[in-house]
Amino acid sequence: MSRKSYRICGFDCAACALKSEKHLNKNENIEEAVIDFAKDRLHVSFKDKELSPDELKTIIAEVEDDPIQISDLSENVKPKTLFTKENIFKMIRIAIAVVVIVLDFVLFMAPNYFWYALGISTGALFLVAYEIYWAVIKNIKAKVNPIDEHLLLTMCSIGAFVVGVISKEAHIFADGLMVVALYEVGEIIKGLATNKSKAAISSAIELRVNTANKVVGSDVKEVSPEELKVGDLVIVSIGERIPVDGVIKDGEAEIDTSSLTGEFVPVMSEIDKEVYAGCLIKSGSIKIEVTREYKDSAVSKIIELISSSGAKKSKADEFVTKFARWYTPLVLLVAVLTLVIGGAITKDWNTWVILGLKMLIVGCPCAIVISVPLAYFSSLGLASKNGIVIKGTNYLDSLSELRKVVSDKTGTLTKGVFEISKVNPVNCSKEELMEYLVAAEYLSNHPIAKAICKHQNLQNYGDLTDNYEEFAGLGVSIEYKGYFILAGNAGLLKSMQVEFAEADEFGSIVYVSKDNDYLGYVVLSDEIKEESYELTKALKSKNVELVLLTGDKKENAKQLCVQLGIEKYHAELLPEDKISHLEKEMNIKGKVAFVGDGINDAACIKEADIGIAMGGIGSDAAVENADVVIMNDNPRKIFDAFRISKIARHTSIFNIIFALFIKISIELAAFLTSLLGYSEAIPMWAAVIADTGLTVVLVVNSLLILYRKIKHKSV
């Protein structure tokens, strides 16, 4: 089975996308198809044979008349604008309908007025509404459920004409014609609002660079970032984005990393400092040596994750899909029962048929079907703007139900930048102790090992060492100059039966032995991040518990918890111990997140309800394993992700409740005015405006999420 994502454009409404999605899923070659209307994405899992974009378009064309475009994500497709051929033709037809409506009133006093009005109105109706009627016919031919907004509008417009003919009231023709004309106007406005939303969101999360300035000898050649190889040199100047990951070799510049990290304070460049694709040069110019090809860069993977995140639907998305399935038939049933019962009781069939038609118009579900998924997608864009990558709208649901955060210590709540604060040799000199310690640690990637080896000359160790081995959660061993060296915590030396006296020091202690003879220890200190204080206070304010899991000794864990106000911790844990403790912590109502660095804590990140990786900007493992990636090392952004998830949920709930309130209110008002003999108080064209206008308002409400500012209030 293969899986592929495409860009898909051209749907006029979310209901059309849902209908096409259902039809694709009936194809024998397709395991699963998901159309993300808000992001113009099609995600397809194929069974055996992979279908081409043209073949997929052909399948969709069986149920959909919209001019659908399907292309690879790498291709640039311009979004719809006001003056497309389709919109211009639609506006001409609407203009003709308006002229006919005016003529209906001008000819009101003319002889045989009724038949003139019927003739020109009927012609105008089919000119404006033929696409709507054809969509209904096509649904029936393709054996697709025809009960959608097209069927409702067909019944409204044709029903109005039938009532007009029976009652000989020509003004009803104008009502029926105005219904479809206003609907088409609304479709244009709604399409523009939706496309504006999509464009704004896409630009907010679009990190890709189209060209790169590659140094070739003494010349500079413009190439695609995909063409760059490791070792190539690239020049990036003011106003340009860094095309690939690399290290700075020359020049000086002010670099804006906000597109990745959400931090809006630019940083100054440093020679041999690593920089990442997507960052903007605010001033100056730098020469970069490529360290990773574009396809392997963190940004490339992040863009891919954002592009495919719509394949994982939120509960709200699933609700909307089910809602549209039963809501439209229910509206149809209520409208039919209203006109039949009301007409049978009062014998005033004209009034009650027209009321039923109004109820059909107001009942269209587009406002909810479009705005709710868009609220979640806008929230993904807001998170991305703030340096938080959330891999799918389903994880926004999980974050909104967060009740507990289980966190690693080093590099998550602390800076992970260790400094040796004390060297305590036993039966050897400080120089000897450090020599053996560096020999043991120089091959390790652990933050403590890196701190020990910092500022040390490591060139000669490789020729003198052999049989390096890591013991997870304990330390390392190595053969150096023929000696067996151990370096690690007290547990390592105890397991190897080395006799030593445990030190009572605050900080991380690394003990060293040579051929099982104890040589002494060093103490390393780590500093708590300022944002960790903010995180603990913010989580407490929302009754979210914070639990610490660490491999560090109990004294250090206790001291950290006292300083941060954390009430619960487990210390001196091996990686497998962390898993068991995490599973115990997950035995609660609500969701539990685990926060770690994405490498050493990969198992816990996968096990938790929500896996959050810190510092993912340069970590492939973080991007791959976690559900949420914090692009810098700021723990406060864990709470920001929680707040954004709440914004998504609250906006979608508001959109659903507000839409239903307006629709039910208008339908009740139409019912009461008809019952009291004032049926003209709410004309059919007003019902169309209420439906289409409501859709535009809620689309804009969802779009506004993207422009929210995540402010850090004092808590």
Side-chain angles (χ1 to χ4, degrees), residues 226-495:
E226 287 85 353
E227 296 178 38
L228 294 171
K229 304 296 182 186
V230 175
D232 287 346
L233 293 176
V234 178
I235 292 177
V236 191
S237 302
I238 183 172
E240 296 177 343
R241 290 192 181 274
I242 297 171
V244 288
D245 296 350
V247 294
I248 300 171
K249 289 300 178 184
D250 191 19
E252 189 175 280
E254 196 177 37
I255 304 172
D256 179 1
T257 65
S258 61
S259 57
L260 292 179
T261 66
E263 299 296 333
F264 292 91
V265 179
V267 296
M268 291 304 299
S269 63
E270 297 176 20
I271 300 299
D272 291 330
K273 182 179 180 179
E274 191 168 12
V275 288
Y276 301 97
C279 296
L280 179 69
I281 303 300
K282 298 285 286 185
S283 65
S285 175
I286 53 175
K287 184 183 289 185
I288 298 169
E289 181 181 323
V290 179
T291 55
R292 286 197 289 189
E293 293 185 13
Y294 180 80
K295 63 182 176 64
D296 297 322
S297 68
V299 161
S300 176
K301 293 175 181 177
I302 289 162
I303 293 172
E304 184 180 341
L305 288 171
I306 294 171
S307 298
S308 61
S309 60
K312 301 169 183 175
K313 292 191 173 184
S314 67
K315 292 177 184 176
D317 288 328
E318 292 171 358
F319 165 79
V320 165
T321 303
K322 294 175 183 176
F323 173 84
R325 200 172 293 155
W326 61 259
Y327 173 79
T328 308
L330 180 63
V331 167
L332 179 59
L333 177 63
V334 170
V336 170
L337 288 176
T338 299
L339 72 88
V340 170
I341 295 171
I345 293 173
T346 65
K347 306 302 180 184
D348 183 5
W349 287 100
N350 281 7
T351 297
W352 289 93
V353 168
I354 290 174
L355 172 62
L357 299 179
K358 291 175 186 175
M359 294 177 76
L360 290 178
I361 297 169
V362 174
C364 284
C366 287
I368 295 172
V369 173
I370 294 175
S371 67
V372 171
L374 195 59
Y376 273 79
F377 180 43
S378 295
S379 298
L380 292 182
L382 176 62
S384 182
K385 284 173 65 177
N386 284 274
I388 307 164
V389 175
I390 301 173
K391 291 187 179 180
T393 53
N394 56 325
Y395 299 120
L396 283 169
D397 278 330
S398 297
L399 280 166
S400 69
E401 299 168 9
L402 188 65
R403 290 294 173 268
K404 184 182 291 186
V405 175
V406 180
S407 178
D408 179 41
K409 180 177 80 74
T410 305
T412 303
L413 299 179
T414 64
K415 292 182 178 179
V417 181
F418 292 89
E419 295 289 342
I420 296 175
S421 57
K422 184 176 181 180
V423 179
N424 189 63
V426 176
N427 300 323
C428 70
S429 66
K430 286 186 177 181
E431 290 74 16
E432 285 179 296
L433 176 62
M434 287 304 299
E435 178 186 354
Y436 292 122
L437 177 60
V438 172
E441 298 283 13
Y442 87 101
L443 289 174
S444 174
N445 287 318
H446 195 280
I448 289 179
K450 290 182 177 179
I452 290 169
C453 297
K454 188 167 61 175
H455 310 307
Q456 301 288 334
N457 185 355
L458 306 176
Q459 290 181 350
N460 298 324
Y461 284 101
D463 298 330
L464 302 172
T465 57
D466 198 9
N467 296 327
Y468 172 80
E469 185 176 0
E470 287 196 25
F471 302 92
L474 295 173
V476 299
S477 69
I478 200 166
E479 288 185 15
Y480 174 66
K481 293 183 178 179
Y483 299 113
F484 179 67
I485 308 299
L486 290 173
N489 60 24
L492 178 63
L493 269 65
K494 287 177 182 178
S495 67

Side-chain angles (χ1 to χ4, degrees), residues 13 151 640:
C13 68
L151 179 63
D640 291 346

Side-chain angles (χ1 to χ4, degrees), residues 171-245:
H171 70 88
I172 298 178
F173 300 154
D175 280 345
L177 187 54
M178 197 172 291
V179 165
V180 290
L182 284 173
Y183 172 79
E184 294 291 9
V185 170
E187 285 297 289
I188 294 174
I189 295 171
K190 185 171 67 181
L192 290 173
T194 305
N195 285 321
K196 177 67 176 175
S197 304
K198 294 175 183 178
I201 295 165
S202 297
S203 64
I205 60 176
E206 184 58 69
L207 305 174
R208 190 182 188 281
V209 179
N210 293 320
T211 60
N213 298 315
K214 178 182 176 182
V215 178
V216 182
S218 58
D219 298 326
V220 176
K221 182 181 178 183
E222 192 174 275
V223 298
S224 168
E226 287 85 353
E227 296 178 38
L228 294 171
K229 304 296 182 186
V230 175
D232 287 346
L233 293 176
V234 178
I235 292 177
V236 191
S237 302
I238 183 172
E240 296 177 343
R241 290 192 181 274
I242 297 171
V244 288
D245 296 350

Side-chain angles (χ1 to χ4, degrees), residues 703-714:
L703 173 63
L704 288 176
I705 292 175
L706 190 64
Y707 302 99
R708 294 280 289 267
K709 299 292 184 184
I710 303 298
K711 296 179 180 178
H712 294 168
K713 299 177 182 178
S714 59

